[in-house]
Amino acid sequence: MAQHTIVMTGATRGIGRVALDRIAALDPDAHLVLLARGDTSSRLAAELTAAGHTASGIAVDLLSLTGTRQAADEVVRRLDAGELPPLRGLVGNAGLQFTNDLTESSEGLEATFALNVLANHVLLRRLHDRFVPGSKITLTVSDTHFGDFRHNLGMVPGPSWQEPERLARIRAFPNPESVVAGRTAYSTSKLAAIHLVHEHARRLPRGVDIVGYNPGFVPGTDLTRAADAFSRFAMRRVMPLMTLTPLATSKGAAGRYLADAALGRTRATTAAYINRGAEERSSEESYDPTRERQLWDTAEELTQSLH
């Protein structure tokens, strides 16, 4: 019988699926609650159950903050009704990169920021007081937030920070119809995600840790599934060859690292940046309490009606 609950997003494909299988194997006492679109979550939960694990699914479109709040409400309902054991973990792995800075969510927010930043904020705010001591929250971030060649291999522009209210809207970057603008929105959203980790670490209950996890460059995933056909082909078929070099991480390794971070097998303090399998410092730009408070305030304003 499951003793605790771990909620996961982004667990249906790529590194998230690898991490899910490893978490299920290493933590047999966990009830895994999978948040995913349509019937994907329930089908995957059924697969895990058939394999002897404890799992259930909740359908959600994380690009909708209202839908995200409803999914979080359902988690809370099940916890309070005793249908789920105490909440001890959240793995926020869902993420997406768009080919422009013109894609809006159903609520009129820039889609990259809505999914990579605000969806996690909504989940954390709703579940804040349900985490028990010893809980671990892991959000997938990215070393593209450094903005240098060593970390982005010249493929993703560095972040371009602006007021959070501006980042939450389309056309925040020059030539918003371009791939460069879309990728800038991505790296900036991942910088924002690290700021969010730092600010939530200050506000979560004692004994509840939150970390940001960087998988490195992982070719062969569906992160660029919204990209053009050539880019998708390159990421899935050509770029995986880079995993034979130190410049990239294989999907299997990245998933294992994510699972280890989520289970606390990687030694790290709260608010830490875990680079693959070890705690390291994120960029100097990422440590900015003023920005972090501004981001918190904006996230609160944009999601106030959902609290």
Side-chain angles (χ1 to χ4, degrees):
M1 183 175 179
Q3 302 298 312
H4 55 262
T5 294
I6 298 175
V7 175
M8 293 189 68
T9 71
T12 61
R13 56 167 65 91
I15 69 173
R17 181 55 200 270
V18 174
L20 173 64
D21 289 341
R22 183 169 173 83
I23 290 170
L26 293 178
D27 190 1
D29 291 333
H31 184 130
L32 298 166
V33 178
L34 312 176
L35 307 188
R37 300 185 71 168
D39 63 355
T40 306
S41 59
S42 57
R43 286 192 286 108
L44 183 51
E47 289 180 24
L48 290 169
T49 300
H53 305 295
T54 306
S56 56
I58 296 175
V60 60
D61 178 1
L62 293 167
L63 268 174
S64 165
L65 298 185
T66 299
T68 302
R69 169 56 193 262
Q70 291 170 347
D73 283 345
E74 178 60 17
V75 173
V76 170
R77 186 197 69 75
R78 295 183 189 184
L79 288 167
D80 291 350
E83 298 173 20
L84 291 173
L87 180 62
R88 196 170 180 180
L90 170 68
V91 183
N93 180 60
L96 199 56
Q97 180 182 139
F98 293 89
T99 56
N100 57 53
D101 185 31
L102 297 172
T103 308
E104 287 185 311
S105 71
S106 59
E107 289 134 335
L109 299 168
E110 194 278 315
T112 314
F113 195 84
L115 180 61
N116 295 354
V117 182
L118 295 178
N120 284 324
H121 184 71
V122 170
L123 289 173
L124 287 170
R125 289 290 279 130
R126 185 66 183 99
L127 299 176
H128 177 97
D129 59 356
R130 294 308 196 281
F131 290 105
V132 298
S135 292
K136 176 76 73 173
I137 299 162
T138 307
L139 303 186
T140 298
V141 294
S142 169
D143 55 4
T144 59
H145 84 278
F146 279 91
D148 57 18
F149 185 85
R150 174 189 168 195
H151 292 94
N152 62 28
L153 305 180
M155 294 185 293
V156 180
S160 178
W161 190 259
Q162 301 179 46
E163 292 296 318
E165 171 62 33
R166 187 73 194 91
L167 296 174
R169 308 294 175 180
I170 62 172
R171 302 179 182 275
F173 306 104
N175 303 312
E177 72 287 349
S178 67
V179 172
V180 170
R183 291 177 177 171
T184 302
Y186 176 79
S187 62
T188 306
S189 77
K190 290 303 186 178
L191 174 59
I194 295 173
H195 286 326
L196 193 72
V197 166
H198 295 165
E199 191 62 25
H200 273 281
R202 298 183 181 103
R203 298 169 182 267
L204 284 162
R206 181 180 296 274
V208 178
D209 289 351
I210 182 170
V211 299
Y213 161 71
N214 166 53
F217 173 57
V218 187
T221 70
D222 282 337
L223 177 66
T224 57
R225 58 187 178 274
D228 60 89
F230 177 78
S231 296
R232 294 196 306 271
F233 174 80
M235 280 294 290
R236 293 176 181 175
R237 302 300 181 186
V238 181
M239 293 298 185
L241 296 175
M242 292 183 64
T243 59
L244 301 176
T245 77
L247 298 176
T249 312
S250 71
K251 181 171 65 176
R256 292 191 296 273
Y257 286 139
L258 173 57
D260 289 347
L263 293 175
R265 293 166 62 91
T266 302
R267 182 175 298 179
T269 55
T270 193
Y273 174 78
I274 297 176
N275 178 34
R276 298 174 176 88
E279 177 177 348
E280 296 180 5
R281 279 186 66 82
S282 49
S283 70
E284 291 306 313
E285 184 182 10
S286 71
Y287 298 95
D288 189 327
T290 300
R291 273 192 193 175
E292 290 156 7
R293 177 58 184 269
Q294 290 172 343
L295 177 62
W296 174 277
D297 290 344
T298 297
E300 289 289 282
E301 290 170 8
L302 293 173
T303 64
Q304 185 173 13
S305 63
L306 304 176
H307 290 174

